[in-house]
Amino acid sequence: MKRLPMRVYFDYNATTPLLPEVVEAVAGALREEFGNPSSVHAFGQRAKAALDAARSSVAALLNADPSEIVFTSGGTESDNFAIRGAAEALEAAGRRHLIASAIEHEAVLNTCKALARRGWRTSLLPVDRTGIVDPDRLRAVIDRETAVVSVMHANNEIGTIQPIAELAVIAHEHGALMHTDAVQSVGKIPVDVRALGVDLLSLSAHKFNGPKGAGAVWIRRGTRMLPFMTGGKQERNRRAGTENVPAIVGLGVAARAAAAKLEAEAQRLAALRDRFERAVLERVPDAFVNGAPSPRVPNTSNISFDRVEAESLLIALDLEGVAVSTGSACSSGTLEPSHVLRAMGLPPHRAQSSLRFSFGVYSTEEDVDYVAALLPGLVDKLRRLTRKAAV
Ligand code: PLP
């Protein structure tokens, strides 16, 4: 009988499996907490208490106050709300300029583009070859009309961590608000909103073992924001609509679980990632790790395999039971080289031959060794096929 291929999931930056305690909590809330949190009666108050418990857990993970947490439907909505809500509140004061980094997620980039179509001036900050924004580049473009500076904490494709605290100081010197998309760092490394010095921060539950469709924006107390959704008075008038109680309960449990094992899990994942990179670079000729090795979230490794089409290698790995992604996974269906790697100045052939391996709670040394042992043969086979096709 043919042995079934091993199943290895190395795509935790795309999404993560739910922890058993999260599944239990979501199921429990679906069964028991059906009341509307805005209702005055006991059913409603139970649901409201469940939301408040989740709010406290998310706040504790960020060193924030629970009153500063606004629940949303996830990272994309949080980014939209943070940028649009702040920008529109500052517009009346004559601030119609937005700044973002060139390697932001589409949730930020396309929000800036949408505002640009409505007359906002926008500037994109370049990154260096390692994927880091130089604070001097922000100093060069920021002015008295800048409303919001949005720079992600950790990048989804290469994992590099930006100097957010330094950028926030510059934003504030010019009277602008600082937003950071922390979707890929929350739950992986300590994220402390006070230490970062930002005004707005986005997070998403499904990136740290919570359910899809739940996230939050942290809004520093006193920050003026226009509500993103208009309607009822939920979330202190900031985000109308009956809350997704079960998913938010799941977000709270995932936040508590992440906080409890943050340091230990970060160390474990960094060791796995280093073991993986060492093995791949040793065994596969012409393989290169993209992005600054440090500072970087511990779970992300982006590797180019010269003379290999990334999509072909992704499919070959999938046939062996291994799930990874290319830079364009978020907008799959396109073979455009990743805008992140292009912004770093990688030549197109290197950007087109890159795969992202991202690890998480269920990743083991056995998984890493299995994939590192598979890669040399698969890469060699694809390179030989390409050579043959060229003659
Ligand atoms: N921001 C970053 C950096 C991301 O990686 C993602 C998801 O890939 C998002 C935003 C969007 O989050 P969501 O899937 O919760 O809308």
Side-chain angles (χ1 to χ4, degrees):
M1 202 170 74
K2 191 173 180 294
R3 203 176 134 261
L4 276 178
M6 187 161 159
R7 287 268 149 217
V8 177
Y9 186 77
F10 277 174
D11 203 12
Y12 280 78
N13 283 10
T15 197
T16 58
L18 276 70
L19 294 174
E21 60 262 43
V22 172
V23 174
E24 281 309 307
V26 173
L30 279 166
R31 264 193 314 266
E32 322 280 339
E33 312 301 352
F34 70 90
N36 186 324
S38 300
S39 298
V40 175
H41 49 64
F43 293 88
Q45 291 314 297
R46 275 185 59 153
K48 175 150 189 323
L51 286 186
D52 287 343
R55 205 181 301 282
S56 296
S57 303
V58 172
L61 184 62
L62 305 177
N63 187 27
D65 191 87
S67 65
E68 299 171 309
I69 304 292
V70 175
F71 291 123
T72 65
S73 66
T76 301
E77 184 186 325
S78 294
D79 286 343
N80 268 267
F81 179 22
I83 295 170
R84 290 174 195 264
E88 286 170 4
L90 286 165
E91 194 173 10
R95 291 183 178 266
R96 294 203 96 213
H97 178 219
L98 297 171
I99 301 176
S101 88
I103 62 166
E104 296 300 307
H105 188 270
E106 282 85 352
V108 168
L109 288 178
N110 288 337
T111 300
C112 291
K113 273 190 203 155
L115 288 166
R117 283 195 291 274
R118 285 173 28 204
W120 286 72
R121 201 155 51 84
T122 58
S123 307
L124 287 188
L125 300 174
V127 293
D128 65 17
R129 270 196 90 84
T130 69
I132 306 279
V133 173
D134 177 350
D136 281 339
R137 305 307 285 253
L138 174 58
R139 280 193 193 92
V141 294
I142 195 164
D143 59 36
R144 290 280 150 201
E145 285 183 11
T146 307
V148 183
V149 177
S150 180
V151 177
M152 68 204 316
H153 192 202
N155 181 266
N156 43 309
E157 291 184 32
I158 51 174
T160 45
I161 297 172
Q162 301 296 338
I164 299 298
E166 224 178 309
L167 298 170
V169 169
I170 301 166
H172 293 154
E173 280 168 2
H174 293 78
L177 292 174
M178 181 77 202
H179 166 245
T180 191
D181 173 339
V183 165
Q184 293 290 351
S185 59
V186 168
K188 294 179 189 167
I189 54 169
V191 174
D192 178 330
V193 288
R194 314 281 168 209
L196 289 175
V198 295
D199 305 290
L200 301 152
L201 177 143
S202 307
L203 63 89
S204 177
H206 77 98
K207 304 291 185 180
F208 58 99
N209 310 108
K212 290 160 189 64
V217 201
W218 170 80
I219 305 175
R220 179 190 292 282
R221 188 176 304 141
T223 306
R224 278 197 51 228
M225 299 276 286
L226 286 199
F228 180 58
M229 303 264 256
T230 44
K233 295 193 173 24
Q234 290 89 352
E235 299 295 289
R236 296 171 177 253
N237 275 332
R238 288 189 141 153
R239 200 272 191 181
T242 302
E243 300 85 346
N244 183 354
V245 177
I248 293 170
V249 165
L251 163 59
V253 174
R256 258 203 310 282
K261 58 171 176 50
L262 207 51
E263 303 280 346
E265 183 64 358
Q267 268 180 29
R268 189 185 76 86
L269 290 177
L272 277 186
R273 178 201 60 199
D274 293 347
R275 180 186 179 98
F276 179 69
E277 287 182 353
R278 244 188 341 263
V280 172
L281 296 185
E282 237 170 61
R283 295 179 204 173
V284 184
D286 299 328
F288 305 87
V289 175
N290 297 314
S294 150
R296 181 166 54 142
V297 280
N299 80 317
T300 307
S301 182
N302 188 302
I303 305 182
S304 286
F305 299 90
D306 266 9
R307 305 185 304 287
V308 170
E309 167 105 23
E311 303 287 326
S312 307
L313 185 52
L314 182 148
I315 291 164
L317 282 167
D318 190 34
L319 291 172
E320 299 289 342
V322 180
V324 300
S325 76
T326 61
S328 50
C330 274
S331 47
S332 58
T334 68
L335 282 176
E336 288 272 301
S338 133
H339 71 283
V340 174
L341 300 181
R342 267 182 307 155
M344 287 160 60
L346 256 66
H349 74 272
R350 182 136 313 157
Q352 263 151 347
S353 65
S354 100
L355 284 185
R356 177 186 71 188
F357 303 84
S358 49
F359 314 106
V361 288
Y362 296 118
S363 305
T364 62
E365 280 189 358
E366 194 193 359
D367 294 341
V368 160
D369 294 347
Y370 174 71
V371 179
L374 265 178
L375 278 168
L378 295 179
V379 168
D380 186 52
K381 191 167 150 197
L382 289 170
R383 282 179 179 159
R384 274 188 285 115
L385 283 175
T386 322
R387 254 202 319 271
K388 223 184 259 168
V391 282

